[in-house]
Amino acid sequence: MAAAVERLVFALNGRRYEVAGGEVDPSMPLLEFIRTRTPFKGPKLGCGEGGCGACVVLIAKYNPATEEVTEFSASSCLTLLYSINFCSVITTEGLGNSKDGFHAVQKRMSGFHASQCGFCTPGMCMSIFSSLVNADKSKRPKPPNGFSKLTVSEAEKAFSGNLCRCTGYRPIVDACKSFASNVDLEDLGLNVFWKRSDKNPDVSKLPSYTIGGGICTFPDFLKSEIKSSLTLLNDSNIAASKEGWYHPRSIKQCYELINSGLFCESVKVIVGNTSTGVYKDHDLYNKYIDIGGIPELSDIVRRDTGFEIGAATTISRTIEILQQECESISSPNGSVVFRKLAEHMSKVATPFVRNTASLGGNIILAQKYPFPSDIATILLGAGATVCLQLVAEQIHITLEEFLELPPLDPTTLLLTIFIPHWISDFQTETSLVFETYRAAPRPLGNAVSYVNSAFLGHVSSDELSDTLVLSNLHLAFGAYGTEHAIRARKVEKFLSGKSLTAPIILGAIQLLRETIVPMEGTSHPEYRVSAAVGFLFSFLSPLSKGITEPGKTLKICSTSSSDADDSCNLSLSSRRETISADEYKPIGEPIKKYGVEIQASGEAVYVDDIPASKNCLYGEFIYSTRPLSYVKSIKFKSSLASEKIIDVVSAKDIPIGGQNIGSTSDFGDELLFGDPVAEYAGQALGIVIAETQRYADMAAKQVIIEYETKDLEPPILTVEQAVENQSYFEIPPDFYPKEVGDVSKGMAEADHKILSAEVKLASEYYFYMETQTALAIPDEDNTLVVYSSSQYPELAQNVIARCLGIPFSNVRVITRRVGGGFGGKTFRSFQVATAAAVCAYKLRRPVRMYLNRNTDMVMIGGRHPVKARYSVGFKSDGKITALHVDLLINAGISEDASPIIPGTIISSVKKYNWGTLSFDIKLCKTNNTSKSVMRAPGDTQGSLIADAIIEHVASVLSVDANSVREKNFHTYDTLQLFYPDTAGEASTYTLHYIFDRLVSTASYLDRVESIRQFNNSNKWRKRGIFCVPLIFRVETRAAPGRVSVLNDGSVVVEVGGIEIGQGLWTKVQQMTAFALGQLWPEGDEGLLERVRLLQVDTLNLVQSGLTAGSTASESCCAAALLACNMLVDRLKPVMDRLRLESTNISWDALISQASQDNVNLSASAYWVPNDDSNSYLNYGAGISEVEIDLLTGEITLLRGDLVYDCGKSLNPAVDLGQIEGSFIQGIGFFIYEEYITNSNGLMVSNSTWDYKIPSVDTIPKQFNAEVLNTGHHKNRVLSSKASGEPALVLASSVHCALREAIRAARKAYASTTGSGSSPLTFQLDVPAPMTVVKELCGFDIVEKYLESLLTHELATGA
């Protein structure tokens, strides 16, 4: 019988680890072991689904027979600990660290400014390193010194599965491309290794790289141990123990386990365990059978007729085998099937999931569940067969038959998959054709298809009719809302033997529509059917006579857009322009981010990295799934996970004298627990306490909540229901925006009017890489220390103390750094910190809460959904005379910061001169999660509304939107009218200059003409371009600062601002070096390295305030400058006295003397902005160009151009990173991110599978950004301006360009749609993903096109 693993031996960063069988739970992931049982914290938990890459490690395996070591990247959150027996694991600390020195990957990531919050950076480093190691093992020629064998195209895909919410990916691409042997170093972006002005950048200036990675990935001691244990591994008679992990070495042993009665208990059969990322475990398993070690399941058998792949073979290995087969086949047409299969499989999941997921596991999922597998569909199209083991016998059946079987039980094993070798038949003059297709939210990243297909057939020529005929057809479709992939047998039969003409193709498509019928409840059913039709049309049209074929792709060129290639595969390029200033050195220099190397090496400490004491407990929320319901009871299922519950904390555990409060703002409080009524779906009802976070998370899934709605009104979920029920929050008069002029007069002056048009903008989830987290530790005398990932520790302290009924001084909140916030850790972080504090206070033990991604998405809320209706009057020349806007804003259940949103929306709308402006704004209270501030809150929505109106006016007048836009730009006089308190001096109004510069440098007019030509010559792809201006109001806030010089001359700085990735610490470091530099003999040289920034501690530096609104960096810099100036004033007399004795006085000598003289070397300051300068305007502009595929709705961002006025940038590299990152985040809001809720208001797009933030394959192919240095701004901190949020709103240019492309499509098909209304008038809401694009282009355009061909043929007598 198979052995249960009695001990586990592996290497981690070169160290030997041994775990006795049963010492750890067999369900423990590798990530959990690394983070809780070792000193290493580099791999992070970002999603627990294999969907973000934060946890990526490198795993190496050794084959003693061949002496080969194979390395691959893997998701440590999915990889189970026991599956890595005799493996070597490398985390980012194993590449390099502060003690042993940093690796070239880490140094280049740092030097290319490729890390902001840093939470994703360790995983990025490991994905890049893994790509380098594997490329260097290839047989390619040796590259020049300093480079790897990686190519530029491979470098761009090296981290395709890793997500980053901060950087916008461009600098990470540059860091990775710097290793590529065929890179042009001049093409790389801003970095610290050479200046932009350097004409011949040299690889020698880059951190040196050694071929192969320069790291020992598999230590010798482990090789020796493997060799010595070979006899043990081959012994099949070892008695089984009951420790929970079984590793059968043969089919026979596997069936012995199956027949042993083991399956009466909680057992899971696995290979890579990646299915857990899709179908999450709902309970713990206490027994696992790992069948990955059965040789028969990994065998590859080549035959003349094809080859057989063992079911446990990984997807990555399968791709490798397919590619090798392509190279070994002499006939060019014979390899087409294998090549296309490999290409398609490379788009499935992520590299680090493909490396461990098995081919058979994917097919089993497709057989047992309605899993939208690409692999099952394309293998079905390729005519694959499978071999099954049914206890005593093996059977061979087609994949189609296999998928139609009832879900497999544990007694049936999938052994192999056979892929036939298809070739053309030259004797009968038939050619082989094979194509695969997928429509998915991302081209390469982790994204499930809406529909996929694979088509195979033989083509022969019919000489009589001069047409082509298909035979031996396989038409496979999947993922469209079907239980499993199918073959469209009726369509195959219909097409076989017929000449391919327009009528035949139309008949096939009509038959296909009868075949592809999504199941009830499938999202976007019409889209899926239409995309399937598009795929079949794409396949058949090149073989047909007289049909404009779409091809799979079209060509692209940045200057002329009329030729054709695959725009999705276009190489990424960028231009990043900044100007460094010498006036305030080192202020103004693009130095690298403070502490960036330790972010890359995983040594930077986030809240969840703080070591927990042995008695630490863990909590997870129990939340309501219903809105506005009484909670009658909370019970738990009888399960293994329920046995792990130590306690359940709820409202009854709030101490006497405390309040049920979980959050607060200037406008009101929010409850911590829904008691006795759950007011909204996602509201906390209690907290499950367990010994590990995984146990707590799993135990919370066991909850059974009984609800009652008697005597309660129906919940209010929409703004329309809120209006009906008059459910509003009050907007304080000081926060209600000011109208401009008399709209009725403006309307009377208008030549044209648009009355009551509408635009809707949905919510957006923050998707910070580090979810909400807190660690609460009880301290002496009824006090608490709470480590919170928060943008507002001061107010967190307030809420915790009020909840517990203790003085504020009894609560110390500490925040060192935050792994991304975007506003989501301002007010929304309080609930987690307070919940952890209540649990710790009750249990008198440390309690950590680290929300899993699903809970975070359900509970935390996001951006405010907005519904806007507008009426606008305008002249015939495009000059707008009046605008009235009705706004309905969905605030959710509590005020939070929602009363500021009306003002920020209208402030952004005011970027144009509307002549006169009025509005009616309702802030709706609904039974939804509270909506809160999110990067550029309100401004993001307002900017889109404004540009939608400009575009609508241009559409009515049939003129270019740019002419209408410029006609309604503000003069300085109208700017003062619309922004009376913030317009500033006339010299600071730079928008006209910015706009003209952008239009010129981005060749806007030439591209408009080029796009017109492209759209005229391309039937199935269309492009659009749009330009938007930016006026963004920000407000500075008071900030504390303390600068202390220690006796050795090192400098410690404390400020109230939180480092959340925006470079606040970097700018403060520069400011400190600049201010103290006047006493430093070498100016500022060397002083930067002496400056250390400290974490925020609410009892150490009071009034720390709020880090939000883009101005915390400049406020903290101003506070640090004040404190430094105080120190300089104290030290100058000492310096003057010392200079009487010697001309060269070192900094250390100065500080030593000052200390002896009892000079106070610590200075505290509290900077308060002047009333006349606490708010100001920021300016910028952006142009975006997009391309859409009319058959699938696929969106490709061809180019983005940004120009932004940063005043005199404190750090151009930091500001450029903020501008690019915020723009890409904005693209997510306007295009990709679908915040979907069910009928109860519960968020259901609550995972990386369903919620798609931008990934590296969705950013603009060409991305140019310029940071302007516009000189002196007397009321700003050293003439600098904000950069963190404003550029996000420029992403509305992508949405508007998309509208232009859709309009071009609708215009082209206007004659065939038969629509009564103008095809050029349509509503494009936010977001606008590919499903919406396709709908607006038309679900039936293929049929309409073919019908028009038939009509034309009849009319011409053809």
Side-chain angles (χ1 to χ4, degrees):
M1 189 172 179
V5 173
E6 296 189 341
R7 69 183 182 117
L8 172 70
V9 176
F10 62 97
L12 177 58
N13 295 330
R15 303 185 193 179
R16 184 182 186 278
Y17 281 82
E18 181 174 325
V19 179
E23 183 182 332
V24 299
D25 183 335
S27 63
M28 178 183 281
L30 173 60
L31 177 66
E32 183 180 337
F33 182 87
I34 292 172
R35 293 187 56 79
T36 61
R37 306 288 183 102
T38 81
F40 305 113
K41 303 288 187 181
K44 311 293 184 193
L45 179 60
C47 68
E49 301 169 335
C52 75
C55 70
V56 169
V57 298
L58 182 128
I59 297 177
K61 292 186 175 182
Y62 171 66
N63 184 335
T66 61
E67 295 281 337
E68 284 184 327
V69 174
T70 55
E71 297 97 345
F72 55 90
S73 58
S75 276
S76 59
C77 71
L78 297 179
T79 303
L80 294 177
L81 177 66
Y82 277 110
S83 69
I84 62 158
N85 195 25
F86 287 133
C87 292
S88 173
V89 179
I90 307 289
T91 72
T92 188
E93 294 100 325
L95 299 188
N97 50 68
S98 54
K99 179 184 175 185
D100 304 321
F102 297 105
H103 189 271
V105 170
Q106 297 162 337
K107 289 179 180 177
R108 295 193 193 185
M109 286 287 284
S110 304
F112 277 95
H113 312 289
S115 177
Q116 290 185 20
C117 87
F119 200 81
C120 72
T121 310
M124 290 282 182
C125 288
M126 294 314 300
S127 284
I128 294 170
F129 178 75
S130 175
S131 297
L132 293 173
V133 167
N134 283 296
D136 288 346
K137 282 191 168 184
S138 70
K139 296 177 182 177
R140 296 171 188 167
K142 185 180 178 181
N145 287 339
F147 293 107
S148 78
K149 294 182 181 180
L150 200 71
T151 65
V152 165
S153 63
E154 289 170 341
E156 291 176 356
K157 297 171 184 174
F159 58 93
S160 61
N162 294 71
L163 298 182
C164 174
R165 193 58 146 165
C166 298
T167 63
Y169 300 102
R170 184 69 49 182
I172 308 174
V173 171
D174 283 341
C176 195
K177 280 163 70 169
S178 75
F179 292 97
S181 56
N182 62 337
V183 71
D184 183 344
L185 293 178
E186 290 186 18
D187 290 342
L188 301 180
L190 188 67
N191 63 77
V192 301
F193 308 116
W194 57 76
K195 292 184 179 178
R196 191 71 182 169
S197 57
D198 292 353
K199 293 189 177 175
N200 295 302
D202 185 357
V203 69
S204 66
K205 295 180 180 179
L206 287 168
S208 63
Y209 173 74
T210 305
I211 281 286
I215 301 290
C216 174
T217 57
F218 207 97
D220 289 338
F221 74 79
L222 195 56
K223 291 180 181 177
S224 301
E225 204 160 340
I226 290 172
K227 288 176 179 176
S228 65
S229 62
L230 278 178
T231 53
L232 186 68
L233 290 174
N234 292 328
D235 186 351
S236 61
N237 298 312
I238 305 170
S241 63
K242 298 179 181 178
E243 304 303 350
W245 187 273
Y246 296 85
H247 204 294
R249 298 285 172 183
S250 65
I251 300 290
K252 180 186 174 191
Q253 284 188 357
C254 187
Y255 273 97
E256 285 174 354
L257 280 172
I258 291 169
N259 295 329
S260 68
L262 201 64
F263 284 89
C264 299
E265 303 178 56
S266 180
V267 176
K268 188 174 187 182
V269 179
I270 65 153
V271 175
N273 197 47
T274 53
S275 63
T276 305
V278 194
Y279 297 103
K280 295 181 177 59
D281 293 340
H282 292 287
D283 193 9
L284 297 171
Y285 289 91
N286 57 12
K287 287 185 169 53
Y288 287 80
I289 300 177
D290 179 1
I291 59 173
I294 299 175
E296 298 97 312
L297 298 186
S298 298
D299 283 347
I300 310 297
V301 180
R302 288 173 171 81
R303 299 195 178 96
D304 291 340
T305 54
F307 64 95
E308 203 163 49
I309 305 176
T313 306
T314 66
I315 297 171
S316 290
R317 176 69 181 132
T318 304
I319 294 169
E320 202 178 299
I321 294 161
L322 290 165
Q323 290 170 337
Q324 289 170 358
E325 286 295 313
C326 293
E327 294 167 7
S328 67
I329 295 173
S330 55
S331 165
N333 210 22
S335 65
V336 64
V337 174
F338 296 151
R339 179 170 54 82
K340 299 274 185 182
L341 289 175
E343 287 174 0
H344 194 115
M345 285 185 190
S346 297
K347 299 174 185 177
V348 171
T350 60
F352 42 83
V353 168
R354 293 195 296 267
N355 289 339
T356 54
S358 66
L359 182 69
N362 186 285
I363 295 171
I364 287 285
L365 283 183
Q367 200 273 341
K368 294 179 75 170
Y369 308 99
F371 175 60
S373 166
D374 275 44
I375 289 175
T377 304
I378 62 176
L379 290 181
L380 183 61
T385 59
V386 299
C387 176
L388 301 178
Q389 180 79 42
L390 304 175
V391 188
E393 64 170 334
Q394 290 185 6
I395 62 167
H396 292 81
I397 58 175
T398 66
L399 180 57
E400 183 179 25
E401 292 168 332
F402 172 71
L403 293 172
E404 289 173 352
L405 291 174
L408 294 192
D409 62 34
T411 62
T412 303
L413 274 182
L414 173 61
L415 299 182
T416 60
I417 298 97
F418 178 77
I419 305 176
H421 178 199
W422 295 90
I423 56 172
S424 301
D425 188 341
F426 296 107
Q427 290 183 340
T428 58
E429 296 185 344
T430 60
S431 298
L432 176 73
V433 286
F434 181 69
E435 290 288 356
T436 71
Y437 302 85
R438 73 194 297 262
R442 293 184 186 136
L444 296 177
N446 180 28
V448 169
S449 299
Y450 291 113
V451 59
N452 50 42
S453 60
F455 307 138
L456 180 146
H458 285 100
V459 183
S460 56
S461 178
D462 184 336
E463 293 180 4
L464 288 176
S465 61
D466 191 24
T467 57
L468 296 177
V469 177
L470 280 169
S471 60
N472 199 14
L473 270 174
H474 289 63
L475 304 179
F477 295 87
Y480 59 83
T482 173
E483 288 187 359
H484 55 76
I486 64 155
R487 278 181 59 181
R489 292 281 187 177
K490 289 183 180 178
V491 184
E492 292 172 3
K493 185 178 179 182
F494 175 81
L495 284 170
S496 292
K498 291 188 174 73
S499 296
L500 289 176
T501 60
I504 294 300
I505 293 178
L506 180 60
I509 284 170
Q510 289 167 342
L511 201 55
L512 182 66
R513 281 190 176 273
E514 296 172 15
T515 305
I516 305 297
V517 182
M519 295 183 292
E520 191 175 339
T522 301
S523 64
H524 313 297
E526 288 178 290
Y527 169 81
R528 295 172 193 259
V529 175
S530 182
V533 166
F535 292 158
L536 185 61
F537 177 71
S538 296
F539 178 65
L540 296 176
S541 56
L543 308 173
S544 310
K545 202 173 180 183
I547 292 181
T548 304
E549 65 174 271
K552 290 203 71 177
T553 45
L554 279 177
K555 290 183 184 167
I556 171 168
C557 176
S558 57
T559 52
S560 172
S561 301
S562 56
D563 41 12
D565 189 11
D566 188 351
S567 54
C568 293
N569 292 328
L570 188 70
S571 183
L572 297 172
S573 65
S574 65
R575 178 176 57 84
R576 309 171 85 206
E577 297 290 343
T578 63
I579 299 175
S580 301
D582 294 332
E583 189 176 351
Y584 305 116
K585 285 183 71 175
I587 290 288
E589 293 187 341
I591 69 167
K592 62 187 174 186
K593 188 175 182 291
Y594 179 91
V596 65
E597 287 94 349
I598 61 170
Q599 288 181 183
S601 69
E603 295 168 284
V605 177
Y606 300 83
V607 172
D608 196 49
D609 297 333
I610 298 168
S613 59
K614 286 188 176 180
N615 67 336
C616 185
L617 297 172
Y618 296 79
E620 164 67 349
F621 284 115
I622 299 166
Y623 58 79
S624 171
T625 55
R626 300 258 296 269
L628 205 57
S629 304
Y630 287 111
V631 178
K632 290 187 69 178
S633 68
I634 297 176
K635 298 174 183 175
F636 294 88
K637 301 172 191 169
S638 176
S639 65
L640 289 173
S642 295
E643 294 172 10
K644 302 295 184 182
I645 297 173
I646 290 173
D647 203 347
V648 177
V649 177
S650 62
K652 65 180 174 54
D653 295 301
I654 294 173
I656 296 171
Q659 305 171 39
N660 184 4
I661 175 175
S663 183
T664 192
S665 70
D666 290 341
F667 308 105
D669 297 336
E670 184 176 342
L671 298 177
L672 176 59
F673 298 112
D675 180 63
V677 174
E679 296 179 293
Y680 60 93
Q683 184 171 28
L685 306 177
I687 302 155
V688 173
I689 301 293
E691 286 188 350
T692 72
Q693 191 65 62
R694 184 167 52 87
Y695 286 166
D697 290 352
M698 194 63 78
K701 291 182 179 181
Q702 312 307 309
V703 72
I704 302 170
I705 304 170
E706 187 180 355
Y707 299 99
E708 172 63 69
T709 57
K710 189 178 179 184
D711 300 327
L712 291 174
E713 295 291 324
I716 295 168
L717 298 175
T718 65
V719 290
E720 291 82 3
Q721 291 169 346
V723 170
E724 193 178 320
N725 290 274
Q726 297 290 294
S727 177
Y728 306 124
F729 289 118
E730 182 185 353
I731 305 170
D734 288 349
F735 289 87
Y736 201 89
K738 304 292 188 293
E739 298 186 345
V740 180
D742 186 337
V743 166
S744 60
K745 286 184 180 178
M747 282 291 188
E749 295 170 7
D751 299 329
H752 309 273
K753 295 173 186 174
I754 297 171
L755 300 177
S756 199
E758 183 179 285
V759 60
K760 292 180 182 177
L761 301 97
S763 187
E764 179 186 22
Y765 168 63
Y766 301 100
F767 217 107
Y768 26 60
M769 292 305 295
E770 173 203 42
T771 58
Q772 301 282 355
T773 179
L775 170 62
I777 303 172
D779 208 345
E780 64 185 19
D781 197 22
N782 212 30
T783 61
L784 277 171
V785 179
V786 180
Y787 296 91
S788 173
S789 181
S790 175
Q791 295 174 244
Y792 205 169
E794 180 188 355
L795 202 54
Q797 176 190 42
N798 173 327
V799 175
I800 293 166
R802 287 175 59 196
C803 182
L804 297 177
I806 57 179
F808 289 9
S809 60
N810 281 26
V811 179
R812 168 176 255 126
V813 177
I814 297 173
T815 303
R816 180 173 297 182
R817 61 172 56 81
V818 170
F822 317 113
K825 291 178 181 172
T826 307
F827 303 101
R828 308 315 298 159
S829 64
F830 302 157
Q831 190 174 28
V832 181
T834 307
V838 169
C839 295
Y841 198 80
K842 174 192 175 183
L843 300 168
R844 306 310 301 167
R845 288 172 67 176
V847 173
R848 190 194 294 276
M849 291 185 70
Y850 184 41
L851 297 195
N852 64 69
R853 182 62 66 182
N854 310 118
T855 300
D856 198 283
M857 297 184 82
V858 165
M859 293 185 65
I860 298 303
R863 198 181 291 279
H864 289 79
V866 174
K867 180 180 180 181
R869 296 194 73 82
Y870 59 87
S871 300
V872 60
F874 48 98
K875 298 283 193 180
S876 294
D877 64 355
K879 185 73 185 79
I880 295 171
T881 58
L883 172 66
H884 176 81
V885 181
D886 293 312
L887 289 177
L888 297 177
I889 304 168
N890 192 333
I893 197 64
S894 76
E895 294 93 336
D896 198 278
S898 296
I900 73 166
I901 300 300
T904 55
I905 291 178
I906 295 302
S907 175
S908 198
V909 167
K910 286 180 176 179
K911 69 179 182 178
Y912 293 115
N913 175 13
W914 304 105
T916 58
L917 174 65
S918 65
F919 33 77
D920 180 71
I921 305 172
K922 298 285 190 294
L923 192 58
C924 302
K925 179 181 180 180
T926 61
N927 294 103
N928 294 297
T929 52
S930 288
K931 301 301 178 270
S932 190
V933 291
M934 181 172 180
R935 202 173 195 173
D939 298 271
T940 305
Q941 296 95 321
S943 180
L944 186 280
I945 293 165
D947 284 304
I949 295 168
I950 290 289
E951 187 275 334
H952 198 166
V953 169
S955 175
V956 169
L957 295 175
S958 298
V959 297
D960 177 45
N962 220 34
S963 65
V964 176
R965 184 180 302 107
E966 294 197 58
K967 184 79 71 175
N968 294 285
F969 267 1
H970 284 295
T971 63
Y972 179 65
D973 290 338
T974 62
L975 186 78
Q976 289 179 303
L977 182 64
F978 278 70
Y979 298 95
D981 302 323
T982 52
E985 298 177 355
S987 62
T988 65
Y989 180 42
T990 55
L991 183 59
H992 287 273
Y993 167 73
I994 289 171
F995 203 81
D996 291 345
R997 180 178 178 84
L998 179 64
V999 168
S1000 169
T1001 58
S1003 308
Y1004 175 76
L1005 296 177
D1006 290 343
R1007 287 163 63 197
V1008 167
E1009 175 57 26
S1010 177
I1011 286 169
R1012 188 187 66 78
Q1013 293 176 15
F1014 177 91
N1015 289 341
N1016 286 339
S1017 59
N1018 284 270
K1019 191 157 196 72
W1020 302 106
R1021 284 184 180 259
K1022 301 295 177 184
R1023 290 180 180 172
I1025 189 170
F1026 208 87
C1027 184
V1028 302
L1030 165 71
I1031 298 180
F1032 192 102
R1033 179 183 179 275
V1034 298
E1035 191 170 317
T1036 54
R1037 284 181 291 274
R1042 180 186 297 137
V1043 180
S1044 305
V1045 184
L1046 305 186
N1047 289 345
D1048 67 345
S1050 57
V1051 182
V1052 173
V1053 184
E1054 298 167 83
V1055 290
I1058 305 296
E1059 176 57 58
I1060 53 179
Q1062 83 283 45
L1064 182 148
W1065 278 0
T1066 312
K1067 290 181 176 180
V1068 171
Q1069 180 195 30
Q1070 288 174 278
M1071 181 64 77
T1072 304
F1074 159 70
L1076 296 180
Q1078 54 193 298
L1079 298 177
W1080 185 266
E1082 295 83 21
D1084 63 90
E1085 211 64 41
L1087 182 53
L1088 270 172
E1089 287 71 32
R1090 303 285 287 273
V1091 179
R1092 181 186 173 196
L1093 275 292
L1094 294 188
Q1095 62 196 15
V1096 170
D1097 181 331
T1098 57
L1099 294 187
N1100 204 33
L1101 193 70
V1102 300
Q1103 296 177 285
S1104 56
L1106 163 67
T1107 302
S1110 301
T1111 58
S1113 293
E1114 63 193 82
S1115 297
C1116 289
C1117 282
L1121 181 60
L1122 278 180
C1124 287
N1125 288 341
M1126 292 165 66
L1127 284 175
V1128 169
D1129 289 343
R1130 296 173 194 169
L1131 290 169
K1132 264 187 176 176
V1134 181
M1135 175 67 87
D1136 293 341
R1137 195 168 68 250
L1138 290 172
R1139 277 185 176 152
L1140 294 175
E1141 302 168 13
S1142 172
T1143 53
N1144 295 319
I1145 308 300
S1146 71
W1147 171 259
D1148 291 353
L1150 171 64
I1151 298 307
S1152 177
Q1153 186 60 53
S1155 180
Q1156 291 176 38
D1157 293 350
N1158 294 322
V1159 173
N1160 184 357
L1161 293 178
S1162 181
S1164 297
Y1166 191 67
W1167 179 77
V1168 181
N1170 298 326
D1171 289 341
D1172 59 348
S1173 66
N1174 69 336
S1175 60
Y1176 61 92
L1177 299 178
N1178 295 270
Y1179 306 105
I1183 295 176
S1184 291
E1185 181 180 351
V1186 307
E1187 179 177 301
I1188 59 173
D1189 183 329
L1190 273 58
L1191 296 177
T1192 63
E1194 182 183 9
I1195 304 160
T1196 304
L1197 309 187
L1198 299 180
R1199 182 168 166 180
D1201 296 88
L1202 309 178
V1203 177
Y1204 184 77
D1205 177 3
C1206 256
K1208 287 190 176 179
S1209 171
L1210 297 176
N1211 183 319
V1214 166
D1215 288 334
L1216 183 64
Q1218 289 293 286
I1219 291 161
E1220 290 183 340
S1222 61
F1223 181 77
I1224 298 301
Q1225 189 174 50
I1227 291 172
F1229 171 62
F1230 288 113
I1231 304 297
Y1232 296 112
E1233 298 176 38
E1234 297 183 84
Y1235 192 107
I1236 302 169
T1237 57
N1238 65 13
S1239 58
N1240 285 321
L1242 185 75
M1243 187 184 188
V1244 291
S1245 55
N1246 64 340
S1247 71
T1248 56
W1249 287 90
D1250 306 306
Y1251 193 88
K1252 299 300 178 187
I1253 69 169
S1255 52
V1256 69
D1257 51 334
T1258 59
I1259 64 174
K1261 299 299 179 184
Q1262 185 177 349
F1263 192 13
N1264 307 316
E1266 182 177 4
V1267 178
L1268 288 184
N1269 185 332
T1270 56
H1272 187 64
H1273 299 268
K1274 68 177 184 181
N1275 291 323
R1276 307 276 59 81
V1277 178
L1278 298 190
S1279 299
S1280 67
K1281 301 183 78 174
S1283 65
E1285 295 175 287
L1288 186 143
V1289 307
L1290 292 177
S1292 65
S1293 61
V1294 177
H1295 189 273
C1296 295
L1298 192 58
R1299 187 197 305 267
E1300 293 297 304
I1302 295 169
R1303 176 174 281 107
R1306 292 167 69 92
K1307 188 176 181 181
Y1309 285 91
S1311 59
T1312 61
T1313 57
S1315 172
S1317 61
S1318 167
L1320 306 188
T1321 304
F1322 57 94
Q1323 183 174 328
L1324 184 65
D1325 293 330
V1326 175
M1330 62 193 296
T1331 51
V1332 170
V1333 171
K1334 174 60 181 165
E1335 180 177 3
L1336 289 171
C1337 291
F1339 285 141
D1340 58 354
I1341 56 174
V1342 170
E1343 292 96 317
K1344 296 291 185 185
Y1345 166 69
L1346 292 172
E1347 286 167 359
S1348 71
L1349 285 183
L1350 297 181
T1351 303
H1352 178 72
E1353 285 178 13
L1354 289 172
T1356 57

